[in-house]
Amino acid sequence: MRAVTSIPFLSGLVLSVQAGTTPDNVSSRLQIHVPQSLFKPDGYDHREALFGVPPYGGSIAQNVYYADSDLCDPTVDTRKGYPIRAKDKDGKMEPWPSPYILMVDRGDCSFVQKVRNAQRSGAAGVIIADNTCLCSDSDCVSANGEDVCQTAEPIMADDGSGQDISIPSFLMFKKDADSVKAELRANHMVQIEMTWALPSPDDRVEYDLWTTPSDMVSRDFQKTFKDVATALGDRAYFTPHMYIYDGIKSHCQGADGKNQCFNLCTNNGRYCATDPDNDLDHGISGADVVKESLRRICIWKHYGESDGIGKEWWDYVAEFLHRCDTPDYFANDDCVADAYKHATIDKERVERCMLDSGGLEKDAPNSFLDLEMAAQTRRGVVVLPTAFVNTVALRGALSSEMVFAAICAGYLDGTEPAICKQCSKCPSEIACVQSGGKCDGAMGGGGRGGSVSAHTFFVTLLAVCCAFGGIGFLHWKKTRDDMRDQVRGILAEYMPLEDSGDGSGMNGGSPMDFARGGGSAGLIS
């Protein structure tokens, strides 16, 4: 689910967020090592994509090839571009040698489409070369002789289809990208390093989740991460955030102070949310989502803010998703009360918190909702859901495994909690956490690697060898017995059955003596 929606009254708000902030809190670094003339001690300014899966704590350093294309066509010609390569026996230029980082031009299609096509061609990473100067970069504007410029670099947002992207990508500013393309066009090799790091200020990690009560994508995470939060204890501090649209900036509150956006907003149009089922007359309304958001904020204030774990908060969310997450029960007071009860939460305490913060009925500000809107503007949240670890936005599909791995990578070296050391290498990290740190290779294949332990592998291999050995022995024994029976039959059919009386028999006995005895003596004495 993306914060950018097709509902008209929200478009102005989203654009203002995008224009005023840099949402990704860039923790990555872009550096050119070859040629030395392009090396910058502080690296290069860039924008990091809000999709793809970067290797947090790692880097990609490879040769760069310029596709000389915007890469909007799914059929990627890997035999074109720069630097020029040698020709093969058919007289065609050799394809880009893997592994490589691919530079492509901006324009004509979405960032996701470009990176997807590059990924299919075999690229390990993508650098998108901007095609428009920043208005603040007078040197770039004058050098290109263009009247068109942009006030800020675009956000490399997901277009809604980027779940299949697994490689990282950066947007490089035009002036810098032009220098790289010039080197590549001159058939000079360029080596770029893309690096990612999570800030590690101390021995405690802070992590946030931005979502809404109607968000479909984060449901599995919210159902399964409680055990991880509990296992990390006071070594990690969690803060849940609810995304609220500013109705005043979106003109949902008219000049007369009345709500202009129907049931999408509360407080006479001050606080709004999108309609989950896009039906203003039926089902869940935006106002229902705002109310549930405030409820979860208050539950956290009383049951999670003090320790950063919030066991009761996780329990309530899981109970609500189990019992009330349908159009008929989402705003049902009895269902919410049932969720309170099973999560051992004091209903009166939470309801009083919602009222004391400003409530949802009158044309009056709500202090908690105002704080959420201010925080989302500072953080520059654009895509929902989004998780942050040490203020760094995590990329890729939200999962408990990914967030757990990012949290463990966010500690100072040597200060990781025991649960990270015990479970970081397990086939199923979450199963390991749920079992109290017991890493068993037989715990299913839910982990990132889908592997088995060495003990399981060798025991299975030994069992297979024994089974084949036993089958081979039985086959050999049966074949020997069959051969013996055949020899006996041949002797019985073709050899004399009694002595000839002239002493010419075998040692004076019956020729059948050999067959009956099954011995190894020769037939000719």
Side-chain angles (χ1 to χ4, degrees):
M1 175 180 175
R2 302 177 61 218
V4 181
T5 71
S6 60
I7 297 180
F9 83 89
L10 296 176
S11 59
L13 170 60
V14 174
L15 290 175
S16 68
V17 171
Q18 291 179 336
T21 60
T22 300
D24 46 8
N25 292 298
V26 175
S27 63
S28 53
R29 180 181 174 90
L30 177 61
Q31 183 60 274
I32 298 177
H33 295 292
V34 179
Q36 183 64 26
S37 60
L38 295 182
F39 177 84
K40 289 185 177 182
D42 297 327
Y44 283 80
D45 287 334
H46 62 283
R47 291 291 178 267
E48 184 178 346
L50 302 183
F51 52 89
V53 185
Y56 292 109
S59 64
I60 298 175
Q62 298 295 340
N63 292 334
V64 179
Y65 290 89
Y66 174 44
D68 196 20
S69 165
D70 56 24
L71 225 68
C72 291
D73 188 344
T75 304
V76 179
D77 186 357
T78 61
R79 296 181 180 272
K80 63 179 295 187
Y82 300 93
I84 301 297
R85 280 89 63 203
K87 294 184 178 180
D88 59 18
K89 60 182 181 179
D90 297 327
K92 298 181 179 180
M93 189 161 60
E94 292 181 349
W96 306 313
S98 296
Y100 60 88
I101 295 173
L102 191 63
M103 174 173 276
V104 303
D105 293 324
R106 178 189 171 193
D108 293 337
C109 62
S110 70
F111 294 122
V112 170
Q113 186 173 342
K114 295 174 186 292
V115 177
R116 178 182 292 112
N117 292 337
Q119 176 176 293
R120 290 172 177 171
S121 76
V126 178
I127 302 294
I128 297 179
D130 202 353
N131 55 5
T132 306
C133 295
L134 287 172
C135 296
S136 59
D137 191 346
S138 56
D139 293 338
C140 178
V141 174
S142 60
N144 285 271
E146 298 177 354
D147 295 332
V148 179
C149 63
Q150 56 190 5
T151 57
E153 290 292 340
I155 296 170
M156 292 185 67
D158 192 342
D159 64 3
S161 67
Q163 294 86 352
D164 62 326
I165 305 299
S166 60
I167 63 174
S169 54
F170 292 163
L171 176 72
M172 196 173 197
F173 294 6
K174 178 175 172 56
K175 183 179 178 180
D176 298 327
D178 286 348
S179 299
V180 174
K181 287 193 284 188
E183 289 288 333
L184 295 172
R185 288 181 181 276
N187 295 320
H188 299 158
M189 187 52 66
V190 176
Q191 186 182 81
I192 283 181
E193 182 178 25
M194 306 166 72
T195 308
W196 295 264
L198 290 173
S200 304
D202 50 34
D203 61 353
R204 189 180 81 159
V205 168
E206 291 79 31
Y207 64 108
D208 306 13
L209 173 66
W210 285 89
T211 183
T212 67
S214 58
D215 174 33
M216 301 284 291
V217 179
S218 63
R219 288 180 180 179
D220 287 342
F221 171 81
Q222 294 183 80
K223 289 178 180 178
T224 59
F225 203 74
K226 171 193 164 184
D227 292 330
V228 178
T230 303
L232 291 169
D234 61 1
R235 299 297 307 281
Y237 189 92
F238 172 62
T239 304
H241 291 283
M242 300 293 118
Y243 195 97
I244 306 294
Y245 289 98
D246 190 333
I248 295 178
K249 289 184 178 180
S250 304
H251 306 291
C252 280
Q253 189 178 74
D256 56 358
K258 293 183 178 180
N259 184 4
Q260 304 294 315
C261 294
F262 309 105
N263 60 359
L264 295 177
C265 306
T266 65
N267 301 71
N268 281 30
R270 287 177 177 269
Y271 310 106
C272 308
T274 58
D275 190 307
D277 43 27
N278 294 316
D279 187 345
L280 296 177
D281 298 321
H282 304 91
I284 306 170
S285 68
D288 293 336
V289 175
V290 174
K291 183 177 182 179
E292 179 61 25
S293 296
L294 179 59
R295 179 180 290 116
R296 295 188 186 186
I297 292 171
C298 280
I299 292 174
W300 180 257
K301 291 290 183 183
H302 288 283
Y303 293 93
E305 193 172 61
S306 60
D307 62 6
I309 300 173
K311 175 181 176 296
E312 291 84 357
W313 185 90
W314 293 104
D315 286 339
Y316 170 78
V317 172
E319 292 292 340
F320 184 90
L321 292 174
H322 173 63
R323 301 172 186 279
C324 311
D325 195 25
T326 64
D328 293 333
Y329 292 100
F330 190 94
N332 184 284
D333 291 337
D334 292 335
C335 187
V336 172
D338 199 31
Y340 280 145
K341 178 181 178 181
H342 284 83
T344 64
I345 287 175
D346 185 348
K347 173 184 175 181
E348 297 299 327
R349 191 179 185 186
V350 175
E351 299 295 332
R352 186 169 59 254
C353 167
M354 296 173 65
L355 185 61
D356 291 346
S357 64
L360 298 171
E361 301 300 329
K362 300 178 181 179
D363 180 15
N366 184 290
S367 59
F368 288 161
L369 297 183
D370 284 339
L371 288 173
E372 289 296 282
M373 291 194 301
Q376 70 198 30
T377 301
R378 287 195 308 270
R379 187 60 62 87
V381 178
V382 176
V383 178
L384 295 180
T386 295
F388 291 83
V389 174
N390 285 352
T391 73
V392 177
L394 303 186
R395 314 300 182 207
L398 181 67
S399 68
S400 296
E401 288 80 3
M402 180 190 71
V403 176
F404 175 68
I407 290 173
C408 290
Y411 292 96
L412 285 170
D413 290 341
T415 67
E416 301 88 350
I419 197 68
C420 288
K421 298 176 182 178
Q422 294 165 352
C423 298
S424 61
K425 303 293 184 182
C426 288
S428 177
E429 295 166 331
I430 303 306
C432 174
V433 172
Q434 292 172 342
S435 66
K438 181 181 178 182
C439 185
D440 188 348
M443 282 184 194
R448 290 172 295 168
S451 58
V452 297
S453 67
H455 173 76
T456 302
F457 173 77
F458 285 112
V459 169
T460 303
L461 181 62
L462 179 61
V464 171
C465 290
C466 291
F468 276 102
I471 293 172
F473 174 76
L474 293 175
H475 178 71
W476 169 79
K477 188 174 183 301
K478 184 176 185 302
T479 302
R480 187 191 65 175
D481 293 342
D482 290 344
M483 182 66 72
R484 180 172 296 171
D485 290 341
Q486 290 177 11
V487 170
R488 288 172 179 168
I490 293 172
L491 292 175
E493 183 175 355
Y494 291 103
M495 297 187 67
L497 299 179
E498 55 184 350
D499 291 338
S500 60
D502 59 1
S504 60
M506 292 189 342
N507 298 327
S510 170
M512 285 298 295
D513 290 342
F514 174 81
R516 295 191 185 98
S520 58
L523 294 176
I524 301 177
S525 57

